[in-house]
Amino acid sequence: MKRTITHLADGRELIYFDRRDDADRSAIDRRPLDPRPVASELRYDPLTEEWIAIAGHRQTRTFLPPADECPLCPSTDTRASEIPARDYDVVVFENRFPSFSGNFGTYGEVGGLSEVRPGVGRCEVVCFTSDHSSSFSRLSDSQVELVMEAWADRTAELSAIDGVEQVFCFENRGEEIGITLPHPHGQIYAYPYVTPRTKLQLAAASRHPGGNLFADVLAAERAEGTRVVASNELWTAFVPAAARWPFEVHVYPHRQVPDLAALSEEERAAFAPLYTSVLRALDGLFGVAMPYISAWHQAPVRQQRELAYLHLELFSIRRAPGKLKYLAGSESAMGAFVNDVLPEEAARMLRSQVDH
């Protein structure tokens, strides 16, 4: 793999990840860009003990442009995009409209028992392919491995930033999910705190008697078998017994590791065909592109790493042809989920598509 670092016209970092050592990455971004926005401010909610990022500059971010104006496609002779090169394999660059950054402004008091501090961190965009009409499910195994190399590289680099407490790699797919750009891409958030869901999971793991909670969940699902969707020697994909979403799949490596950077070459290679087969199974359920969120759960940077267990949680809001699960009062207001699809039935449906 060749890794090339360059910068965009407003100073943001851009990194090319290439399979070929002779890839030319000398193209320069000459666009007249506005100055970079200051970092968001974090406000503390004393009732939930959570930090909320207030990022007003994100209101102006690009929203569903036509294909010929996509900012994630390679640049051409007549149009400059976020990627100056005329082609690319995988690209990572700093988000133009970040929720977190190191470009601090002035942050005052707001009262209401809420503490305020700058939203230190970093937000990056990961372009999985230069093909605008493709999807992650259609990537070759070697392309998925290159994306994983990029994820691992960025996890290690972002974890070294002062003030960063957790690194989150994820993909939103589909207008139903709320994407603003349809080009196949994901994002990486380097948070200045440990996220609420991670805190809950690690608190449960700290109370678990005996071995590691995540490892025990994986072992139990593999032994029971009913909800296993796909597996190989190094990974297992299963629907959790208490799935919140109509179609939800968790993907675990068989070895406990804290983050993507700790995966071996063999584990990265084995992940690719299993994961893309699960994505294709989702698309095959109802014959339409399935909207989903794909979320890598990694260990915090500085605490409880021995308890954590890298895994991916993939879920869709589509529950039937033409029907979506919207978060209603119980879920949105109280965090109390009601799932309309039996997890065992969801696993059976997905298995039938994987086998097909």
Side-chain angles (χ1 to χ4, degrees), residues 43-52 194 196 199:
R43 297 189 181 187
Y44 185 72
D45 182 346
L47 298 180
T48 62
E49 299 183 319
E50 296 174 0
W51 289 97
I52 310 299
V194 178
K199 283 185 175 181

Side-chain angles (χ1 to χ4, degrees), residues 171-293:
E171 180 193 2
N172 300 330
R173 187 227 194 173
E175 288 189 36
E176 302 94 329
I177 290 293
I179 63 159
T180 57
L181 296 172
H183 190 108
H185 76 287
Q187 299 182 65
I188 305 176
Y189 275 23
Y191 294 106
Y193 51 76
V194 178
T195 60
R197 185 168 174 81
T198 299
K199 283 185 175 181
L200 286 173
Q201 291 186 347
L202 293 180
S206 69
R207 296 189 295 269
H208 180 67
N212 179 276
L213 174 59
F214 300 97
D216 288 351
V217 166
L218 172 62
E221 290 291 350
R222 283 173 55 82
E224 203 280 334
T226 306
R227 289 175 295 275
V228 172
V229 174
S231 65
N232 58 32
E233 292 184 357
L234 299 177
W235 296 83
T236 292
F238 62 90
V239 177
R244 288 167 168 77
W245 302 94
F247 294 95
E248 178 177 343
V249 180
H250 294 188
V251 186
Y252 276 59
H254 295 170
R255 181 174 67 100
Q256 181 186 357
V257 295
D259 55 30
L260 287 154
L263 290 173
S264 67
E265 289 185 13
E266 293 77 14
E267 287 165 329
R268 294 176 191 176
F271 172 80
L274 182 138
Y275 180 55
T276 54
S277 72
V278 171
L279 292 181
R280 288 191 295 271
L282 280 173
D283 285 347
L285 284 176
F286 307 124
V288 296
M290 199 72 137
Y292 65 72
I293 293 174

